[in-house]
Every structure is written in structure tokens, then in C-alpha cells.
């Protein structure tokens, strides 16, 4: 019995290893490593070390137990650490080059009319027990609403509604010198990627958004909209980004942020009070065009928030986009929350590496994102039969895009999750709220269908 169990385990590991090798070979990872200046002067090849680091979590191991202390690993810990901490390796170029190939592959499987989007968000990488880690800082966690020791991971991703891919990232310390617990501890050539990454880590996140989007678009990645949370949705940031791509974002009601409405400068709250609301239990309460600080126009859509009997506001720079489409497209932003959770809990983003070197953390973060790309590719292979050849591509319908109802559910799920953490109500209250909202929505769509049939 034990022998059979070992045989099954070995067979499963061999199959997994073959799938990993097939992914790296299909997208020419050895060539991409070389073009990104990720090379070894002696000893093991860069591709072999990369494969060993890349494959760790798929065999149920982590960096320390899977390589450093493992007798099965053919590479020593010195070779691994030297590979990770090299400041001349251009991990951003590797990630973008691989992502461009995957985006092109997925793009061939979807309709040209379907919206492709970029999603930008950040997440906290906590290092609570660390003291001497390079560029360690006190960073604010919006989820827990408190300061933590660690970094902020600013990430730009791509989605077609079915697949989700990370494209680029910046590991941020703090722009405020007083909040940085450690400075730069490594002597570096100012022309190296490592030095530029360290300067980037000490910048404001909003200053990095435009260069990040520009890099992605210049490589030929096709996307019609950029989705952002309210933390980044300042008028000056929106004005910079709309030069490259239309923006869809949630906006805060701040007394200091003003829009031009009916010839006057008004706050978001003031605009909402002046608008005529849709009657009944409409999910979309109102919408209007407003003027931005740079003289351009934008559209604001007010959505009902039944949890607090209030409203949420979505802004888009595409003034011709229908209200329902604004909500539906913004719902695609939810996938980046899944990406962060998956990367931290299952792919070893937050806890698998405890090195003090900043270059090592950049390298390992890039490798984690390549792991997620592999999973996105495997998921598409399993769910979309057209990935298996031209015959299926010709015969099968493309995968379903995100619907308006799915988008609304995602937005409500985010809000309900925040309420759960606040501990204000019981679980039955949350579920009854969601059931009531979607029950009304189903009745609404059923009535519309009957009216269409009669006409």
C-alpha cells in the first residue's frame, strides 16, 4: 500500500514538473532571462536556478525547507542567495516580456469587442518581526486601518474578464524619511537596476502610476480602461493617466476635491444633492457629466449602497460609456484582490522569503508573479477548450465576460467584507441584505424581459 502511494506521488510530481517545464519552454524563459541580463558567470545556469525557485510551492514546499535545507536540491544555498541578490538583474523586463506573450495568447481567444482592462492597486507586505531589513518602513494598511512594519506592493495587472495577469510592480518603502526604519544598506552602481529600484521604493505611489502605465502600453498591451480604487483617484492622477488610457475608478467624497457642475465648483456630496434620482429601488441612482481641474470632462455614476442606505460614486473619463457598463467594467477590479490573496496564502509572497537584501525581495516577488501567470495559463487551458488547437478555436464559443450582476455582487462583497471586520452586525443581517438586493434585481430583469417580449 505504501509503495503504491509513493508511486502515485512520484507520478503526480512528474506530471506537475512536466507542466511547469512545458510552460517555461513554450514562452522561451531561457531567452527572456538572457535578454533581461539574468545570467550566471559560472556554475549552474540561470534557467536551472530560476526553475527551482519557480517550482517550489507546486510541490508543497517553501524556499527554506525546499532548497536551503533540502537534501534533494542540487543547488547550494550560496548559489540561490547570490542569484536572488544580484542588483544587475532586470526582473521588471523579464516580467513584462513574459506577460506580453501571455496577453497576446489570451487576446487571440477573446472577441475584439470585449473590453480588456488594466487594474492598479496596492497591498501591504507585512514583516512584523524584522528589524534590519533594507528599506523597511512603517506603512499604512487600509484593510486593517493601522500602520504595520513592511512594504507596499504596487501592482499593475491585465484582465479580459476571464484571465488575470500581473504585468508590473513596485515594492514601496515610504516617501517620508521618518517612516523608514532602515535606509539603503548596499553599495551600488547608480546605473544598475537595483539602485533605480531603491529610488523608486522611496517615491510616492501616485508618482509611479503614469510611468508604469506608459511602459505597459508602449509594449503593445491592448487595454481600453484602467481600473483603480478610491485611494488613487485624485483629479491630478486621473488627468495624467487619461493621456494614455480611459480611467474607471471609485471616488471619495472629500471636501477638498471639487468638480465643475452647472457652472459651479462643487464637492461630490453637493453634486449628488442637486441631481434628480431615479425612482424606486434602482441600483443606479443618477449620473452626470462634470468638469475636471484640467478642463476635460468626466462622467460620475452614483450607485445605491443599501448596507448603509447611502451611495457610492464611480468616475470614468469615457463620457460615452453607458451607466450600466461603468458598473460592470469596474467590477473586473475584484480580480486583483483574488491575486493578492492567492499570492500571499499559496504562492509564498509574504512569508516564504525572510532575507534582508532588497534585491532579493524584488527577485522573489517577480518569481511569485510568474507562478501566478502559470496558474492563469493552466486555468484557461482547463476552462477554455480552444487553447488545445485551431479546431476548438473554430468550433467553440468564447468564454463568458463579466456580467453587470456579477460586477454588482463583487462590489457588494467588498463592502460586506469590510462590515464583517468592523463587527457591527450578525452574519444573518449580511446575507439577508444581499438576498434582498439580488431578489429585487432578478424581479427587475424579469419585468424588463416581459416588456421586451410584449413589444
Amino acid at each position: 500500500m505504501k509503495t503504491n502511494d509513493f508511486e502515485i506521488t512520484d507520478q503526480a510530481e512528474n506530471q506537475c514538473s512536466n507542466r511547469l517545464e512545458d510552460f517555461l519552454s513554450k514562452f522561451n524563459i531561457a531567452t527572456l532571462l538572457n535578454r533581461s541580463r539574468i545570467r550566471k558567470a559560472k556554475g549552474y545556469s540561470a534557467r536551472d536556478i530560476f526553475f527551482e525557485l519557480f517550482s517550489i510551492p507546486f510541490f508543497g514546499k517553501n524556499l527554506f525547507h525546499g532548497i536551503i535545507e533540502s537534501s534533494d536540491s542540487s543547488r547550494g544555498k550560496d548559489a540561490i542567495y547570490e542569484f536572488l541578490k544580484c542588483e544587475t538583474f532586470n526582473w521588471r523586463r523579464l516580467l513584462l516580456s513574459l506577460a506580453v506573450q501571455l496577453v497576446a495568447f489570451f487576446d487571440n481567444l477573446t472577441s475584439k469587442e470585449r473590453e480588456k482592462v488594466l487594474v492598479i492597486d496596492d497591498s501591504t507586505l507585512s514583516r512584523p518581526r524584522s528589524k534590519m531589513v533594507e528599506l523597511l518602513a512603517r506603512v499604512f494598511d487600509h484593510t486593517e486601518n493601522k500602520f504595520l512594519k513592511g512594504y507596499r506592493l504596487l501592482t499593475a495587472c491585465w484582465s479580459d474578464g476571464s484571465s488575470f495577469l500581473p504585468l508590473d510592480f513596485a515594492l514601496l518603502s515610504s516617501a517620508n524619511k521618518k517612516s523608514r526604519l532602515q535606509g539603503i544598506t548596499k553599495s551600488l552602481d547608480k546605473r544598475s537596476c537595483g539602485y533605480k529600484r531603491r529610488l523608486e521604493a522611496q517615491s510616492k505611489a501616485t508618482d509611479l502610476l503614469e510611468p508604469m502605465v506608459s511602459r505597459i502600453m508602449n509594449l503593445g498591451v491592448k487595454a481600453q480602461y484602467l481600473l483603480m480604487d478610491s485611494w488613487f483617484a485624485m483629479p491630478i492622477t486621473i488627468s495624467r493617466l487619461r493621456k494614455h488610457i480611459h480611467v474607471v475608478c471609485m471616488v471619495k467624497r472629500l471636501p477638498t476635491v471639487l468638480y465643475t457642475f452647472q457652472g459651479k465648483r462643487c464637492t461630490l456630496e453637493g453634486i449628488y444633492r442637486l441631481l434628480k434620482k431615479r425612482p424606486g429601488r434602482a441600483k443606479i441612482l443618477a449620473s452626470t457629466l462634470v468638469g475636471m481641474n484640467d478642463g476635460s470632462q468626466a462622467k460620475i455614476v452614483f450607485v445605491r449602497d443599501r448596507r448603509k442606505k447611502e451611495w457610492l460614486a464611480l468616475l470614468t473619463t469615457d463620457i460615452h460609456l453607458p451607466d450600466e457598463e461603468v458598473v460592470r467594467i469596474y467590477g473586473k477590479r475584484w480580480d486583483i484582490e483574488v491575486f493578492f490573496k492567492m499570492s500571499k496564502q499559496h504562492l509564498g509572497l509574504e512569508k516564504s522569503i525572510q532575507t534582508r537584501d532588497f534585491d532579493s525581495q524584488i527577485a522573489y516577488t517577480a518569481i511569485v508573479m510568474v507562478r501566478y501567470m502559470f496558474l492563469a495559463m493552466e486555468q484557461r487551458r482547463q476552462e477554455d477548450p480552444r487553447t488545445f488547437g485551431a479546431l476548438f478555436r473554430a468550433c467553440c464559443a468564447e468564454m463568458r465576460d463579466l456580467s453587470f450582476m456579477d460586477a454588482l455582487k463583487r462590489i457588494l462583497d467588498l463592502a460586506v467584507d469590510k462590515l464583517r471586520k468592523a463587527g457591527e452586525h450578525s452574519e444573518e443581517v449580511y446575507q439577508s441584505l444581499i438576498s434582498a438586493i439580488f431578489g429585487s434585481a432578478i424581479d427587475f430583469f424579469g419585468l424588463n424581459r416581459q416588456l421586451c417580449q410584449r413589444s
Side-chain angles (χ1 to χ4, degrees), residues 94-131:
L94 172 70
L95 195 64
L96 281 170
S97 301
L98 179 57
V100 166
Q101 292 187 59
L102 281 161
V103 167
F105 178 81
F106 291 146
D107 197 47
N108 289 330
L109 299 173
T110 54
S111 168
K112 302 301 179 184
E113 287 74 32
R114 180 186 291 193
E115 307 90 359
K116 286 80 174 179
V117 300
L118 299 180
V119 187
I120 287 184
D121 203 355
D122 67 341
S123 182
T124 305
L125 299 184
S126 178
R127 296 290 297 268
R129 299 180 181 179
S130 300
K131 294 181 179 179

Side-chain angles (χ1 to χ4, degrees), residues 183-380:
I184 299 175
T185 59
K186 196 172 180 180
S187 179
L188 297 163
D189 187 331
K190 293 185 178 181
R191 298 168 294 179
S192 67
C193 297
Y195 182 78
K196 294 174 183 177
R197 281 285 198 175
R198 284 164 173 81
L199 292 182
E200 185 180 74
Q202 300 171 69
S203 305
K204 292 182 179 179
T206 50
D207 293 337
L208 302 177
L209 297 184
E210 186 182 8
M212 190 175 283
V213 171
S214 179
R215 275 193 302 268
I216 292 169
M217 302 299 287
N218 289 339
L219 286 173
V221 175
K222 297 178 182 179
Q224 288 76 46
Y225 298 99
L226 171 66
L227 313 183
M228 302 187 301
D229 197 8
S230 57
W231 305 111
F232 304 103
M234 292 292 106
I236 187 171
T237 305
I238 295 171
S239 298
R240 291 173 182 171
L241 293 172
R242 72 183 301 166
K243 299 174 185 176
H244 306 277
I245 187 173
H246 279 304
V247 176
V248 179
C249 59
M250 189 171 286
V251 286
K252 291 181 179 180
R253 18 180 151 173
L254 299 174
T256 55
V257 177
L258 303 177
Y259 304 92
T260 303
F261 178 67
Q262 296 180 352
K264 300 179 181 179
R265 299 288 286 168
C266 302
T267 63
L268 199 62
E269 192 90 37
I271 293 172
Y272 178 75
R273 286 199 299 267
L274 293 172
L275 287 174
K276 182 180 179 181
K277 315 305 185 295
R278 295 182 184 178
R281 297 182 178 181
K283 303 298 181 293
I284 297 176
L285 296 169
S287 65
T288 186
L289 298 181
V290 297
M292 303 291 286
N293 293 342
D294 61 354
S296 61
Q297 281 191 314
K299 184 178 188 178
I300 297 180
V301 179
F302 295 92
V303 182
R304 185 184 301 277
D305 183 3
R306 288 187 178 274
R307 303 173 317 279
K308 300 180 181 179
K309 295 184 179 181
E310 293 184 357
W311 47 268
L312 305 170
L314 301 177
L315 181 146
T316 177
T317 57
D318 185 357
I319 60 175
H320 303 294
L321 194 63
D323 298 350
E324 290 76 10
E325 287 295 287
V326 174
V327 177
R328 186 184 66 82
I329 291 172
Y330 184 76
K332 295 183 180 183
R333 198 195 72 82
W334 167 256
D335 288 330
I336 200 167
E337 305 292 347
V338 177
F339 161 73
F340 285 134
K341 184 174 182 179
M342 182 74 177
S343 298
K344 290 179 181 180
Q345 293 188 1
H346 302 288
L347 299 181
L349 176 61
E350 194 168 38
K351 297 181 180 179
S352 286
I353 186 167
Q354 298 297 322
T355 178
R356 297 177 180 178
D357 182 70
F358 191 73
D359 294 306
S360 298
Q361 295 176 81
I362 292 290
Y364 197 75
T365 302
I367 292 170
V368 168
M369 291 189 177
V370 176
R371 293 171 184 167
Y372 195 89
M373 290 181 183
F374 166 74
L375 292 178
M377 184 69 182
E378 288 297 300
Q379 181 188 34
R380 194 63 177 258

